Amino acid sequence: MSGLFPGLRQDHLAELIRGQELPLAALDPIHIELILELLQHAYEGIKSDYPCAVSAGDEKHLNSLMVDRLNHLVGDDPLASLVVRAVSRGTETKNYDASRFEMRPDIQISLTSRQHLFPLIVECKLIDTAKQKTIERYCLDGLARFTSGDYAWTNREALMLAYVRDGASTSSLLCPFLAAAMALSPPEYAVVSLPQKCALSLPDAARSDHGRYFSYAHGAQSGKPPGNIAVWHLWVN
């Protein structure tokens, strides 16, 4: 459906962002950290219950298990249910100018503070360099979706989840890779700030900030840049 003519694309954008000022207000970092803790808890439960899936399953298999476990956790936790409405996988969305339809983020977290049309997006990648699950793929096929306007273009934040199988960490692998990207001119992946540890209760969580390579294509914000996006990285090992 990428061949929609401009007028029809504008119709789709108009209906999606009806009444909204973009980008949406930033989420409270405390809420982000609560969601990171949910993701960590879900992964630990899956690792305990389904060790073969964690050691050998592909991303889609793990993501499906994560979504189901997350929904159970939210249903069982009164605090989490104040922030998270529901979690879904592979729900269709469109990019910033509606030139690309049928895009499917890995995990979408619907929040009680927002309409469900504007979920928190989680992109998930395996990290296992010996099996070609590299940091380059993590960034090119994951992180770049946020800087290009494919995903989370209405939002000021997004999440990356890495299923690590080779002992790597954000400090040992992600930080040096993004430091090299930041040194380029212009910076690759529009790196504004390098990953800094966050959510201190978690083994490996960090936040980096990135510019975005697009401008809004409709409404009062048409032609205006969206500003930076904060990307929160959770690496589970």
Side-chain angles (χ1 to χ4, degrees):
M1 295 184 67
S2 59
L4 292 175
F5 60 84
L8 187 54
R9 292 204 301 267
Q10 290 295 307
D11 291 346
H12 279 279
L13 289 172
E15 188 58 32
L16 174 65
I17 66 174
R18 177 187 298 275
Q20 303 296 320
E21 182 176 348
L22 302 180
L24 300 175
L27 296 175
D28 190 321
I30 293 175
H31 294 167
I32 295 286
E33 294 198 4
L34 183 149
I35 291 168
L36 291 173
E37 290 172 357
L38 280 174
L39 288 165
Q40 181 80 39
H41 190 187
Y43 177 79
E44 290 171 353
I46 289 168
K47 183 176 180 179
S48 175
D49 294 340
Y50 313 108
C52 290
V54 168
S55 63
D58 61 18
E59 290 164 18
K60 291 181 180 180
H61 187 185
L62 289 170
N63 293 343
S64 180
L65 289 170
M66 284 289 290
V67 165
D68 290 343
R69 183 59 63 97
L70 286 165
N71 278 309
H72 283 299
L73 291 176
V74 169
D76 292 340
D77 185 337
L79 178 60
S81 66
L82 292 176
V83 176
V84 176
R85 181 182 291 115
V87 185
S88 59
R89 172 178 169 265
T91 303
E92 287 186 6
T93 186
K94 56 185 75 69
N95 71 338
Y96 77 97
D97 64 357
S99 62
R100 300 182 67 189
F101 271 62
E102 299 180 350
M103 306 192 70
R104 298 176 183 272
D106 289 326
I107 296 175
Q108 294 169 289
I109 300 177
S110 178
L111 305 168
T112 58
S113 61
R114 289 181 180 168
Q115 292 186 24
H116 73 279
L117 292 169
F118 307 105
L120 180 63
I121 302 298
V122 187
E123 272 295 282
C124 308
K125 291 288 176 282
L126 285 167
I127 296 290
D128 190 349
T129 303
K131 295 185 178 180
Q132 310 306 311
K133 306 297 185 180
T134 63
I135 188 63
E136 289 84 359
R137 182 170 175 269
Y138 176 92
C139 290
L140 185 62
D141 296 339
L143 180 60
R145 295 186 182 277
F146 302 125
T147 62
S148 66
D150 279 350
Y151 295 159
W153 53 273
T154 62
N155 301 354
R156 297 177 191 261
E157 60 281 302
L159 303 184
M160 290 287 301
L161 174 62
Y163 305 116
V164 181
R165 290 178 176 165
D166 61 4
S169 66
T170 56
S171 59
S172 71
L173 190 59
L174 179 64
C175 289
F177 184 84
L178 289 184
M182 191 178 187
L184 299 176
S185 184
E188 195 169 11
Y189 305 112
V191 181
V192 173
S193 66
L194 295 175
Q196 298 292 319
K197 185 169 178 58
C198 64
L200 299 181
S201 63
L202 299 176
D204 195 0
R207 169 186 162 164
S208 60
D209 291 276
H210 303 262
R212 292 194 267 192
Y213 298 122
F214 65 94
S215 297
Y216 287 123
H218 182 75
Q221 294 81 34
S222 182
K224 296 180 181 179
N228 295 343
I229 187 168
V231 181
W232 305 69
H233 308 264
L234 178 66
W235 285 33
V236 293
N237 194 328

